[in-house]
Amino acid sequence: MGNKARFAVLTDLHYFSPSLTDGGRAYQLRSGSDQKCLLESGAIIDKAFTMLAGDETIDSVLICGDITDDGETVCHEEMVEKLRFLNKYKNVYVITATHDRCTDGNAKTYFGDEYQHLEDTADADDMYKYYRKFGIDQAISTYKTHLGLYSYVVKLCDGFRLLGLNDDSNGVNGSGYSPEHMQWIVEQLQQAKKEGDRVVAMQHHVVLGHYVPFLTGMGICCRDREWVAETFASNGVEALFVGHSHFQNITEYTAENGNRLVQANIGSLVGHPGPIFKVNIDDDYISMNTEYVKEFTFEGKTYNTEYLYEHSKGVVANLLNAAASGDVDEFVARCGAMGIRNEKLPKFYFLIKKLARYITTVNVGSFAKTVNRLTFGKGIDKTAAKQIADKKVIDIAYEIFLNLFDGGINAHKKGTPTYTVVSDFISIPGKIVNKLGFVPDNVKSILTEITELVHLLMDDNIDNNYYRARCTKLIEK
Ligand SMILES: [Fe+2]
Ligand SMILES: [Fe+2]
């Protein structure tokens, strides 16, 4: 029997303490503009931790940062209690990220109609104080960054090491690694190799951009990501677990020396679909599979996955429904909650309302007729449109949008009526733009990427919830 690494990975728990709100209007606006659940986060985390505590198929749980909503001290203190519970049953390894130190000054309380800025937030020293028991204290080696944050290496199990990396800052221009930090990482990887251990790693920011560049390019990735990917892969990191984007995606990278690195970008635990990412690595295969928090109890009431779906959908739906409602004040308030503030909004509300009412009510049958009239019958396949004529266009749009977070659970395979209708429609702007000579190349490339993204989300060839591959060494043979 060879060695086996068996663990679960969670990320972006964004725990929000119930003591920070009374659930009133200010909170509703905040919550309604967020993909993840806030007030319910504790209940979701408790359910996930209980599931993992009793899970005989894993030995360890890894958490890839953004543990608290915005670095609130009270959230850290309550989270540490939850981690202590889980740690009674499993090894727990945690890294922190930017949301754990409130780097954007965004920590707030929400009572009644108002929000107040919260001063009581954590700093780098607090990260060590709260989380040293979950990785740093067990470390073979640690590295303290210029911000006073820690990366560490632990022996995950026989034959395997885990690199828990803090990539909050490269010291120059964003997240990532300074040359000194990377040198320490390389030394650790060489040492592991020398002692015959295989290595998996976790950090918060994405290394391998995925889906399409305008969405998962530089913004969500750590700096110098090509260098990071090549250094990790060529020095033997076999699997890398990241969060931050809240998107679910599995991507491979092959180093110049032939080593393969698989990156799992895992969705936030407290948003749709509540992913618990399970990993099993043995001598032959590396296998990954996603399980879900299918049910949780909050304030005595039981909620299921439908609730998470509806909540995440709310990021768009709450704004659209407010636009369609006829209540201009509600619409302006919802825009404000999303950071959209423009004094001209009420002036154009009648137009916005009209458009929103059309978007939220039109069905595929009627939409396809309109599009085909405008495109002289060359827009949407009539047979496909007829087959799903009663389906609301907006519900298809929500499904596609949420596939970003669930990695394609709601994908429609190629050839299905929904795939055909969406594919036909999404390619229209590109076709028009390509015929117009004066459209700038960057506009053309964004349209191409949007088309590509929708296709990827509609019919993803790579299942982003499941992965199984022969180990690199076996491929080399
Ligand atoms: Fe996050
Ligand atoms: Fe983040």
Side-chain angles (χ1 to χ4, degrees), residues 12 14 36 65-66 99 204 244-246:
D12 295 78
H14 285 279
K36 57 197 188 292
D66 280 1
H99 269 273
H204 185 64
H244 188 60
S245 70
H246 296 201

Side-chain angles (χ1 to χ4, degrees), residues 86-368:
L86 181 59
N87 203 195
K88 282 184 198 159
Y89 303 90
K90 304 289 169 190
N91 303 313
V92 178
Y93 301 111
V94 165
I95 53 167
T96 59
T98 47
H99 269 273
D100 298 317
R101 294 180 292 115
C102 188
T103 50
D104 53 7
N106 244 343
K108 295 183 187 78
T109 60
Y110 304 87
F111 288 95
D113 292 343
E114 303 291 329
Y115 66 77
Q116 290 84 31
H117 282 280
L118 182 71
E119 300 296 330
D120 194 4
T121 56
D123 60 18
D125 289 343
D126 293 324
M127 298 300 95
Y128 180 72
K129 183 179 86 183
Y130 288 128
Y131 300 105
R132 57 179 288 186
K133 283 194 167 53
F134 310 107
I136 298 170
D137 279 356
Q138 296 81 37
I140 300 165
S141 175
T142 59
Y143 179 87
K144 194 174 180 180
T145 71
H146 62 285
L147 295 176
L149 300 160
Y150 285 86
S151 287
Y152 59 84
V153 190
V154 289
K155 186 95 177 164
L156 187 60
C157 58
D158 282 347
F160 287 90
R161 291 182 192 196
L162 165 70
L163 274 177
L165 301 171
N166 186 289
D167 70 342
D168 280 8
S169 168
N170 65 2
V172 183
N173 56 358
S175 61
Y177 302 100
S178 65
E180 297 77 22
H181 197 168
M182 190 58 97
Q183 192 188 332
W184 174 83
I185 292 169
V186 171
E187 282 165 13
Q188 299 313 310
L189 292 171
Q190 287 169 347
Q191 192 64 25
K193 195 175 179 184
K194 210 166 125 190
E195 293 173 28
D197 279 348
R198 298 166 68 185
V199 181
V200 297
M202 65 171 163
Q203 67 172 57
H204 185 64
H205 296 89
V206 175
V207 172
L208 304 174
H210 53 78
Y211 287 126
V212 289
F214 89 93
L215 195 67
T216 62
M218 275 312 292
I220 64 153
C221 291
C222 69
R223 297 278 168 166
D224 305 312
R225 58 199 163 109
E226 292 87 359
W227 170 61
V228 176
E230 180 61 27
T231 311
F232 282 13
S234 62
N235 285 287
V237 176
E238 292 184 43
L240 173 68
F241 305 97
V242 299
H244 188 60
S245 70
H246 296 201
F247 301 154
Q248 179 97 4
N249 181 280
I250 300 175
T251 318
E252 287 182 350
Y253 172 82
T254 305
E256 280 171 23
N257 65 3
N259 281 359
R260 183 198 58 222
L261 168 74
V262 53
Q263 171 191 274
N265 188 179
I266 300 160
S268 167
L269 174 69
V270 298
H272 164 77
I276 296 175
F277 202 73
K278 302 266 297 276
V279 183
N280 194 310
I281 311 174
D282 60 24
D283 288 346
D284 300 328
Y285 285 97
I286 174 162
S287 311
M288 304 176 177
N289 189 28
T290 315
E291 294 178 5
Y292 306 95
V293 177
K294 288 192 175 145
E295 212 177 73
F296 63 95
T297 305
F298 173 63
E299 292 182 341
K301 221 176 135 189
T302 300
Y303 296 88
N304 59 18
T305 42
E306 190 72 19
Y307 182 80
L308 292 179
Y309 185 92
E310 289 300 316
H311 182 88
S312 291
K313 188 177 113 177
V315 174
V316 180
N318 291 329
L319 193 64
L320 258 184
N321 292 339
S325 70
D327 183 343
V328 64
D329 293 335
E330 174 68 6
F331 176 64
V332 171
R334 291 283 174 190
C335 287
M338 296 193 81
I340 308 163
R341 289 181 186 86
N342 190 319
E343 57 205 24
K344 288 184 183 145
L345 277 176
K347 203 174 152 192
F348 292 106
Y349 183 65
F350 75 101
L351 269 178
I352 295 167
K353 183 177 74 180
K354 220 171 172 177
L355 186 64
R357 283 190 177 169
Y358 178 72
I359 293 170
T360 51
T361 55
V362 69
N363 64 26
V364 171
S366 147
F367 182 72

